[in-house]
Amino acid sequence: MLSEDVQVYRTRDGRPGEIRPRQDPVVYGGAEDGPLTAAELDGYQRNGFHTFDQLLTAEEVRECREEVARLVQRPERHTDERYIVEPAADEVRSIFQVHAVSPLFDRIIKDSRLVSVARQLLGSEVYIHQTRVNAKPAFTGSGFYWHSDFETWHAEDGMPRVRALSFSIGLTENFPHNGPLMIIPGSHQWFVSSAAPTPPENHKSSLGKQEVGVPEEEILHRIAEDNGGVHQVVGAPGSAVAFDCNCMHGSAENITPYPRANLFVVFNSVHNTLVEPFAAPARRPEYLADRTFTPLG
Ligand code: 6CS
Ligand code: FE
């Protein structure tokens, strides 16, 4: 007998991919619970994301960029499994658990500018599920194909319900042409399952290029047509977006001379802590899916 959660958000079980309605709220708090206004909460409810023109100061952005430049040069990049190297070049694609690697990022990630918004939207105390820098280097930065983070975190990490969100903060300018985040507005209201089961140790290849859990083209076409098309999240360094963990999103490769480095921070509700994976043979490492569940002060 399958548990209710598996039936609600079943995926990667051999049955064809399909589109089902989300079974969870989107906005859990109210205007009185944090910095976003009622109109901003409405926009998040409808679109699945909210943008900030300037979340970090110019000085903070400068410090963060220096930090990224230092981190990507560390000799440990070849041995530390938290570093993901671009499939086609010897350049750093992502650094996971960046709050443990860098005191500067730790401070920024736990700043009340982020945490107060996460608490308001998720309607509870929150903890850090995952952090990373995606460096998307100039010329060689490869893309991230369309996916819902929740689909992966439910299947591979045992995240029970849709009650988490990500911040993506631009550390360089996000132009239309250097591989910015793309989101399908309104897609967070639908859960898209996929067919192929998760192979063992999937994370060892999926973080370089995701193959399992990505939706079929026909389904992506329908999700975009029936919702808000494709929205590109562009902005100056220090701008940011907070987006629901079930948004359909992705980004293209970067062949421009301009890197696109972003800081990603995932907050999960303390009422949504991880259990065993719903559709994978084993838990992933904690640098991808933290299981200490410590509420942020
Ligand atoms: O597997 C993960 O957890 C990561 N992969 C993608 C493509 N997005 C979210 C997350 O960082
Ligand atoms: Fe993602």
Side-chain angles (χ1 to χ4, degrees):
M1 175 75 181
L2 297 172
S3 83
E4 186 202 336
D5 282 333
V6 174
Q7 293 188 341
V8 171
Y9 296 124
R10 64 151 202 86
T11 186
R12 308 192 192 186
D13 60 359
R15 287 186 278 168
E18 59 177 9
I19 303 173
R20 296 170 133 222
R22 175 189 182 116
Q23 300 294 319
D24 293 301
V26 177
V27 175
Y28 289 78
E32 63 287 357
D33 298 320
L36 300 187
T37 64
E40 289 170 334
L41 294 176
D42 279 353
Y44 186 92
Q45 170 75 34
R46 202 170 46 250
N47 296 317
F49 61 89
H50 177 74
T51 55
F52 303 81
D53 290 340
Q54 192 179 23
L55 194 70
L56 300 187
T57 66
E59 176 60 16
E60 286 171 325
V61 169
R62 195 188 56 72
E63 288 173 351
C64 287
R65 280 165 73 148
E66 282 175 15
E67 187 76 335
V68 172
R70 189 180 70 77
L71 292 175
V72 300
Q73 290 304 327
R74 285 172 78 219
E76 295 90 329
R77 70 185 183 279
H78 297 298
T79 50
D80 186 333
E81 52 184 6
R82 295 174 296 191
Y83 279 75
I84 311 298
V85 173
E86 283 291 350
D90 183 23
E91 293 216 57
V92 172
R93 170 177 170 88
S94 305
I95 307 168
F96 280 88
Q97 208 179 47
V98 74
H99 62 295
V101 176
S102 155
L104 171 69
F105 282 124
D106 187 63
R107 180 159 55 75
I108 286 179
I109 283 162
K110 293 174 180 164
D111 190 277
S112 67
R113 279 169 286 178
L114 282 69
V115 177
S116 62
V117 171
R119 278 205 190 114
Q120 180 181 22
L121 288 167
L122 301 178
S124 71
E125 296 290 307
V126 298
Y127 72 91
I128 294 171
H129 170 66
Q130 182 189 89
T131 68
R132 65 192 190 277
V133 165
N134 281 351
K136 200 169 275 194
F139 303 114
T140 58
S142 61
F144 292 80
Y145 194 69
W146 293 105
H147 64 281
S148 146
D149 293 334
F150 175 72
E151 194 279 337
T152 293
W153 299 336
H154 186 66
E156 299 191 32
D157 298 329
M159 182 180 284
R161 309 298 299 216
V162 195
R163 196 170 178 177
L165 60 82
S166 297
F167 273 85
S168 171
I169 306 173
L171 304 181
T172 60
E173 178 140 2
N174 279 233
F175 296 106
H177 50 61
N178 65 348
L181 183 66
M182 297 186 286
I183 302 183
I184 297 179
S187 59
H188 62 301
Q189 298 287 11
W190 305 97
F191 181 75
V192 178
S193 62
S194 70
T198 313
E201 307 277 306
N202 184 46
H203 68 276
K204 295 199 170 153
S205 60
S206 71
L207 303 171
K209 182 174 191 291
Q210 187 179 355
E211 310 265 12
V212 177
V214 301
E216 290 140 39
E217 291 176 5
E218 192 270 326
I219 286 186
L220 283 169
H221 190 250
R222 197 140 39 100
I223 283 278
E225 283 291 293
D226 294 351
N227 292 282
V230 172
H231 177 83
Q232 231 177 16
V233 185
V234 293
S239 65
V241 58
F243 64 103
D244 180 89
C245 64
N246 191 44
C247 283
M248 192 59 70
H249 66 284
S251 66
E253 67 175 340
N254 181 17
I255 60 166
T256 74
Y258 308 106
R260 191 235 48 170
N262 283 25
L263 170 66
F264 285 81
V265 185
V266 185
F267 296 103
N268 189 20
S269 166
V270 294
H271 303 308
N272 195 36
T273 53
L274 307 186
V275 295
E276 292 309 309
F278 288 91
R283 293 179 176 191
R284 297 198 300 176
E286 295 222 13
Y287 64 85
L288 298 174
D290 198 284
R291 288 178 182 269
T292 47
F293 313 137
T294 312
L296 294 166

